[in-house]
Amino acid sequence: MKQPLFGLTLEELAAIARSLDMPAFSARQMAGWLYARRVGSIDEMTNLSKKARFLLNEQYEPGISQPVKVQVSADGTKKYLFSTGSGKFVETAMIPEEERITVCVSSQVGCKMGCLFCMTGKQGFQGQLTAGEILNQVRSIEEAGRVTNIVYMGMGEPFDNLPEVLKSLEILSAPWGYAMSPRRITVSTIGIIPGMITFLEQSEAHLAVSLHSPFDEERKMLMPVQVAYPVTEVVREIRKWDFSRQRRVSFEYIVFRNLNDTDRHVRELARLLNGLSCRINLIRFHPIPGTPLKGTDDHTLQQFKDKLNERGILTTIRASRGQDIYAACGLLSTKELSS
Ligand code: SF4
């Protein structure tokens, strides 16, 4: 089977160039064709010699794949479905706003973290994505070339696939890759502390942490990861890093009716995050099959936000987008798996 070139770092392309007796500078040429110029075949890499292209074609392929399905929401949000082979699928969301186009990428097929509120978690873990498969979700959508922001908030836990996620981040921000500012990239985690530390050391992208409850027992019920990595320890680690300048940390908080939307939660959140330069993003919950959880009403949500802001925690409500097309992560691929 031919190996994909897309998703390889400059160093890896240089190793291929050496193995095929190509000049050293051809690694940069290949990277330029793959990332900046987005070619779909090796034959289009016209500044490589004919012999080099022939040798490359024998063992390698670009490794690009087109979406198998696209759904467009009434509000312009799109959900792309990519096949990763063997009947497995990952989802990518494209969210257009006035001055930006944000792509939400998946980092794994399914997920092993088992969060109670998540459709992807219900699928279970089905495999890791390579850096190429992560980046292909940005490269092969109709909006490719116009994407301004990338969030790793799709299927999977990015820090459970750390090497490939770090590789994809390197390619996104390297001058020989997409030359994208890491300040336009956000990686979201449920709080896998060792992976988070490595990410903070090796990347300059923003960090988002799924919080959902400041209370131990409640968070354990919602997110089993709380057993291994309690959120108090996650926040303790985050306090060691400087988020007061260009790099930001935010906390995602899905608001469930009569569960985590009380004054007790406001007080505990304010205590937990006291003095930390951060933001809370409140997220409306849209019911998924097989869970008793319900979303809170708009009035309570607004009050919850105001109370947190009054206590000095910068808090916003994230706009719900694409509800009519199953934009909540995991719904479309689950539908595809069962069809
Ligand atoms: S919320 Fe994220 S970490 Fe939790 S099960 Fe879903 S995809 Fe996995």
Side-chain angles (χ1 to χ4, degrees):
M1 246 177 63
K2 292 186 180 180
Q3 298 297 311
L5 292 175
F6 187 76
L8 297 185
T9 61
L10 189 62
E11 215 180 318
E12 290 169 321
L13 291 169
I16 290 174
R18 275 194 303 277
S19 73
L20 297 180
D21 274 337
M22 293 161 65
F25 58 76
S26 47
R28 245 168 226 284
Q29 292 175 322
M30 285 191 276
W33 289 113
L34 288 166
Y35 304 125
R37 297 163 89 164
R38 308 207 323 266
V39 297
S41 74
I42 290 169
D43 290 331
E44 288 171 81
M45 301 181 179
T46 48
N47 58 3
L48 302 181
S49 69
K50 268 193 180 164
K51 185 178 165 211
R53 279 180 269 158
F54 174 80
L55 292 173
L56 274 174
N57 265 318
E58 277 190 326
Q59 293 181 49
Y60 300 95
E61 59 184 8
I64 308 295
S65 68
Q66 299 304 317
V68 292
K69 193 176 267 188
V70 187
Q71 287 188 324
V72 186
S73 162
D75 67 14
T77 301
K78 284 186 190 169
K79 177 63 75 86
Y80 290 93
L81 195 69
F82 287 94
S83 168
T84 59
S86 328
K88 295 173 185 164
F89 301 92
V90 291
E91 297 174 21
T92 308
M94 187 287 300
I95 305 131
E97 288 162 294
E98 256 175 42
E99 288 184 354
R100 55 167 132 176
I101 292 181
T102 302
V103 177
C104 176
V105 296
S106 295
S107 55
Q108 296 181 306
V109 193
C111 184
K112 61 180 85 147
M113 298 300 157
C115 302
L116 186 67
F117 47 82
C118 175
M119 205 62 205
T120 303
K122 293 193 186 309
Q123 285 182 15
F125 179 69
Q126 299 174 55
Q128 303 287 24
L129 292 184
T130 63
E133 288 169 325
I134 295 170
L135 295 172
N136 184 59
Q137 299 168 60
V138 183
R139 149 74 175 75
S140 293
I141 59 173
E142 285 166 36
E143 296 73 20
R146 292 187 285 129
V147 174
T148 59
N149 295 69
I150 297 174
V151 294
Y152 286 64
M153 292 185 183
M155 300 171 72
E157 160 55 47
F159 298 159
D160 191 41
N161 187 14
L162 191 63
E164 295 301 315
V165 165
L166 288 176
K167 208 166 125 178
S168 67
L169 290 168
E170 181 188 347
I171 295 167
L172 282 174
S173 49
W176 48 261
Y178 287 100
M180 190 173 181
S181 166
R183 311 300 179 200
R184 293 188 170 272
I185 304 169
T186 302
V187 179
S188 176
T189 179
I190 54 170
I192 312 264
I193 296 175
M196 187 176 82
I197 294 172
T198 309
F199 160 77
L200 290 169
E201 286 168 348
Q202 296 189 15
S203 166
E204 290 174 46
H206 300 308
L207 175 71
V209 176
S210 301
L211 206 164
H212 308 326
S213 173
F215 296 111
D216 190 54
E217 286 307 314
E218 198 171 84
R219 194 166 186 267
K220 269 185 200 158
M221 184 267 294
L222 291 168
M223 308 168 72
V225 73
Q226 171 76 4
V227 177
Y229 302 115
V231 75
T232 45
E233 285 181 27
V234 176
V235 173
R236 192 175 303 140
E237 181 57 42
I238 286 173
R239 285 186 188 278
K240 296 179 191 165
W241 299 80
D242 182 7
F243 289 102
S244 64
R245 296 162 206 265
Q246 285 187 314
R247 180 180 229 180
R248 292 194 303 263
V249 60
S250 57
F251 293 91
E252 311 291 305
Y253 195 96
I254 305 177
V255 194
F256 302 106
R257 190 191 306 167
N258 299 331
L259 182 76
N260 64 354
D261 59 355
T262 70
D263 287 350
R264 204 168 63 91
H265 290 86
V266 171
R267 284 194 297 274
E268 191 59 17
L269 283 170
R271 203 190 58 76
L272 179 69
L273 303 178
N274 181 33
L276 186 65
S277 181
C278 67
R279 167 194 297 258
I280 294 184
N281 287 318
L282 299 179
I283 302 168
R284 286 185 182 83
F285 178 66
H286 302 291
I288 58 168
T291 154
L293 298 166
K294 294 200 165 46
T296 207
D297 61 273
D298 276 356
H299 179 67
T300 311
L301 187 66
Q302 189 64 41
Q303 280 192 329
F304 196 73
K305 181 193 104 168
D306 292 345
K307 286 174 187 171
L308 282 165
N309 278 317
E310 278 160 23
R311 284 180 176 262
I313 308 289
L314 179 62
T315 307
T316 51
I317 298 173
R318 171 156 330 139
S320 292
R321 302 288 304 266
Q323 284 173 52
D324 51 331
I325 56 158
Y326 295 100
C329 184
L331 283 169
L332 180 60
S333 59
T334 300
K335 206 168 152 242
E336 192 68 25
L337 278 172
S338 51
S339 64

